[in-house]
Amino acid sequence: MKLEKIITLANRHVKIQFLAMERSLRATGCDLPIWVIPFNDDKFELPENSFWWEEQELIKWTKENNIFEMCRKYQCLLTNNYQYVDSDIVFLRNPQEVLKDHSGFISSCTHWNNPDHTFNSESRDYFKSKSTIWQSSIFNAGQFACDQILYTLQDLMDTCHGRFKKTLINEINLYKDQVALNLLVSLTGVEVNNLTLPPSNMQSTWAGDYTDENFETIYWDREDQKPYILHWAGVPKFIKIPVNKYFLKFLEPHEEKEWKEFIAKEEKQSKNLSIRNFKIKMHRFKKALQTA
């Protein structure tokens, strides 16, 4: 693949994460432009060689159909030769070098090992009708690359309103972008190549897999199997794990201070929610005992 651009999705809420991602990319020696899909209208000033990428007709269509904003990343399917990453990613190696000998649709996650949240009952039945090893083609919607244009805008809209409208339109705000993108990509018939599977056998790109202090020595002893990105997908921001240093090192002192204040609020909210959920469960349990 001749990589031509990096694509991401962002707004002001994830500005600090975006800046760390952008700086980590530049640190690898990659000077490709970054196409930023706006999550909403809350934008911010982008660094050099990054620009906002808006497909107005697609945005209009998502609004008309009340489609979750994360699905604006459908724009990726309309172009080619790109690496898409969510904002909660840092680059460890130059994606141009890593992907140059690969083609098709490229994944680099380990969702094949735990495919939860990548399908619903409808899409799972479709995947199973195509292959007994369908899990090997499942991917995380926050990190993928492709050298092909998979849809025109009209084809994309027609597909979403077709056989799988329940998943792609009617219940999209329930299942989100990950279920939808896995189905949309599979429907094109493009070959999905996952770099964490043979023959590449790249080590996991998920930050949650690196909890040991000496994880580099344990898992990254070979440069060719070292992941080229780290993704914090699903890892609570306030969880302290050794791999976080790869994110924090790209922040300016004032940004790190702001980040720590942000995650402290998030941790407090998480604890309050847990207490609330526990009280709700206890209340229901007591009512059940009284009824019995």
Side-chain angles (χ1 to χ4, degrees):
M1 178 189 304
K2 184 179 180 182
L3 203 61
E4 296 176 347
K5 52 189 170 284
I6 307 298
I7 304 177
T8 191
L9 180 79
N11 66 358
R12 190 177 302 276
H13 182 72
V14 298
K15 178 181 177 180
I16 290 180
Q17 291 166 284
F18 170 87
L19 292 174
M21 181 273 290
E22 187 269 346
R23 292 165 187 167
S24 71
L25 176 70
R26 302 310 181 206
T28 69
C30 181
D31 60 359
L32 291 176
I34 301 178
W35 295 17
V36 188
I37 303 169
F39 180 83
N40 54 24
D41 295 330
D42 191 17
K43 302 176 188 176
F44 57 95
E45 184 177 353
L46 296 173
E48 184 179 356
N49 206 20
S50 300
F51 64 92
W52 295 104
W53 177 40
E54 299 179 80
E55 291 287 346
Q56 293 298 339
E57 285 299 311
L58 178 61
I59 293 174
K60 178 183 176 183
W61 173 74
T62 59
K63 288 181 177 179
E64 289 173 347
N65 289 277
N66 192 32
I67 294 176
F68 182 49
E69 287 87 347
M70 285 291 286
C71 293
R72 291 186 180 188
K73 66 176 72 170
Y74 287 176
Q75 286 184 197
C76 298
L77 307 180
L78 311 180
T79 188
N80 60 355
N81 298 328
Y82 65 86
Q83 166 77 61
Y84 175 84
V85 291
D86 278 348
S87 58
D88 58 341
I89 276 178
V90 295
F91 286 87
L92 300 179
R93 294 195 281 151
N94 190 330
Q96 291 173 283
E97 293 297 319
V98 173
L99 299 178
K100 66 181 180 180
D101 295 326
H102 299 282
S103 61
F105 190 93
I106 308 299
S107 174
S108 55
C109 67
T110 53
H111 254 312
W112 50 264
N113 185 43
N114 181 15
D116 288 354
H117 312 300
T118 62
F119 61 86
N120 61 9
S121 58
E122 182 177 58
S123 62
R124 180 186 57 204
D125 289 345
Y126 170 76
F127 296 148
K128 291 177 69 175
S129 74
K130 297 296 181 181
S131 173
T132 58
I133 55 170
W134 58 272
Q135 295 93 335
S136 63
S137 295
I138 288 298
F139 63 94
N140 184 286
Q143 54 181 89
F144 54 89
C146 190
D147 60 2
Q148 303 171 31
I149 295 174
L150 298 183
Y151 288 93
T152 64
L153 178 56
Q154 189 60 55
D155 286 342
L156 176 64
M157 293 188 295
D158 290 345
T159 299
C160 289
H161 287 279
R163 172 185 171 187
F164 297 103
K165 185 178 179 181
K166 177 182 176 182
T167 294
L168 300 174
I169 298 287
N170 298 343
E171 298 181 357
I172 187 63
N173 293 336
L174 173 63
Y175 295 111
K176 310 301 184 187
D177 58 304
Q178 187 148 272
V179 170
L181 276 168
N182 270 277
L183 178 57
L184 284 169
V185 169
S186 181
L187 287 169
T188 69
V190 66
E191 183 179 4
V192 177
N193 299 297
N194 193 314
L195 301 185
T196 66
L197 291 172
S200 298
N201 295 314
M202 179 182 292
Q203 290 295 310
S204 175
T205 54
W206 186 48
D209 281 329
Y210 300 105
T211 57
D212 292 291
E213 288 293 340
N214 59 336
F215 64 88
E216 294 103 331
T217 303
I218 299 173
Y219 302 115
W220 297 353
D221 57 326
R222 285 181 50 183
E223 184 67 18
D224 63 331
Q225 291 188 347
K226 178 181 176 180
Y228 71 110
I229 56 176
L230 281 176
H231 191 186
W232 275 261
V235 180
K237 299 178 181 64
F238 53 82
I239 297 297
K240 296 178 181 179
I241 50 178
V243 76
N244 288 349
K245 64 186 178 182
Y246 281 89
F247 165 73
L248 294 172
K249 73 177 183 178
F250 290 107
L251 302 185
E252 299 292 338
H254 72 280
E255 293 168 340
E256 184 171 356
K257 180 176 181 294
E258 183 180 341
W259 177 253
K260 288 180 178 178
E261 291 172 351
F262 172 75
I263 62 177
K265 290 180 181 178
E266 185 177 82
E267 183 174 18
K268 183 178 180 181
Q269 290 172 350
S270 178
K271 289 179 179 178
N272 289 340
L273 182 61
S274 296
I275 293 171
R276 180 172 176 271
N277 289 340
F278 176 74
K279 288 181 178 179
I280 290 173
K281 289 179 181 178
M282 288 302 296
H283 177 70
R284 290 174 179 170
F285 179 66
K286 289 178 180 178
K287 284 192 70 175
L289 286 178
Q290 291 170 358
T291 303

